[in-house]
Amino acid sequence: DTEVTQTPKHLVMGMTNKKSLKCEQHMGHRAMYWYKQKAKKPPELMFVYSYEKLSINESVPSRFSPECPNSSLLNLHLHALQPEDSALYLCASSPMLGQGDEQFFGPGTRLTVL
Amino acid sequence: AQSVTQPDIHITVSEGASLELRCNYSYGATPYLFWYVQSPGQGLQLLLKYFSGDTLVQGIKGFEAEFKRSQSSFNLRKPSVHWSDAAEYFCAVGSYNFNKFYFGSGTKLNVKP
């Protein structure tokens, strides 16, 4: 299995809602990533996990809360988002951190905040 | 500071014509270089990568790229473009220490019939 899966594909939420994005990989990768991508822009790194521990937080607002409950699963908890947070959220994984490896990307969750 | 520049925002080529997408990078050490392709509303798919060794690398879907250290470039090429190649193409340089990718701004490829 060489893919990264993300659910849901689409999500619409109000500014007072709490929702979660889920990402899963079964390639045995120990590094996982969350990216945010606005239309016509490159992906922007949000968080990096290595061996289920948070390694990088790119100064992301606290209304985004990542969680890595095990080596295969990565969640992004959303609370009190703003309309400008509407974007495609991409998850990625790589074998390890610090090896310069390629990252494998999931198809993304299209988030709309009303 | 690390950075990646893709000078062409949009490129249109005719089906069957050759393609070259430009990528220039700025990185203090030996770079790890990647080309990804993204179809609308989709995730990113790796086309090819360069870590070391032979400066001409072959990728999937008939793509190749050439690393030129003297020009700090990693241009993507394809000898004959297919309509299904229409997509957004991102060049990226990877940081060895933290797997942090620096993406270029992307080049949108349109293919004319």
Side-chain angles (χ1 to χ4, degrees):
Chain A
D1 186 354
T2 58
E3 69 171 357
V4 176
T5 59
Q6 289 187 245
T7 53
K9 286 192 188 325
H10 301 275
L11 178 63
V12 180
M13 59 186 290
M15 289 191 284
T16 58
N17 292 157
K18 283 186 183 182
K19 297 286 185 184
S20 297
L21 310 184
K22 180 180 169 182
C23 171
E24 203 159 3
Q25 56 88 14
H26 296 287
M27 295 179 277
H29 290 176
R30 304 316 299 264
M32 297 185 76
Y33 312 76
W34 279 115
Y35 287 86
K36 173 182 177 181
Q37 186 179 26
K38 301 284 276 185
K40 303 186 192 305
K41 296 290 187 185
E44 297 174 11
L45 183 66
M46 300 175 72
F47 302 104
V48 182
Y49 272 82
S50 177
Y51 287 88
E52 296 105 72
K53 288 187 169 36
L54 184 64
S55 289
I56 297 177
N57 175 341
E58 291 286 278
S59 303
V60 178
S62 60
R63 57 186 185 268
F64 294 91
S65 174
E67 179 197 20
C68 191
N70 61 57
S71 60
S72 301
L73 191 54
L74 185 67
N75 297 321
L76 186 63
H77 303 298
L78 314 172
H79 173 54
L81 294 193
Q82 304 296 309
E84 59 265 28
D85 296 321
S86 298
L88 182 68
Y89 287 83
L90 295 165
C91 174
S93 70
S94 66
M96 289 178 67
L97 209 59
Q99 300 292 322
D101 289 319
E102 69 194 74
Q103 295 179 18
F104 293 76
F105 283 82
T109 293
R110 174 74 60 189
L111 174 68
T112 303
V113 182
L114 301 175
Chain B
Q2 296 87 343
S3 67
V4 178
T5 303
Q6 293 180 247
D8 305 305
I9 298 173
H10 284 104
I11 282 186
T12 299
V13 299
S14 297
E15 190 167 17
S18 63
L19 171 70
E20 182 168 29
L21 301 183
R22 295 182 291 165
C23 172
N24 292 96
Y25 66 89
S26 172
Y27 190 69
T30 300
Y32 294 75
L33 294 162
F34 306 84
W35 274 101
Y36 282 87
V37 61
Q38 185 178 33
S39 297
Q42 300 298 311
L44 280 71
Q45 182 184 22
L46 180 73
L47 288 175
L48 46 77
K49 60 188 178 185
Y50 172 80
F51 286 176
S52 65
D54 195 350
T55 56
L56 185 64
V57 292
Q58 302 296 320
I60 63 171
K61 304 186 181 189
F63 285 93
E64 66 177 28
E66 186 171 12
F67 171 63
K68 292 185 177 179
R69 185 186 297 276
S70 61
Q71 298 177 20
S72 297
S73 69
F74 188 56
N75 294 348
L76 182 71
R77 300 195 293 247
K78 186 169 185 177
S80 177
V81 168
H82 188 262
W83 64 265
S84 60
D85 294 324
E88 186 95 28
Y89 291 79
F90 291 100
C91 180
V93 61
S95 159
Y96 178 85
N97 285 340
F98 290 104
N99 265 45
K100 191 169 176 178
F101 272 23
Y102 298 89
F103 282 96
S105 53
T107 297
K108 185 171 170 58
L109 173 66
N110 293 318
V111 180
K112 288 191 301 187

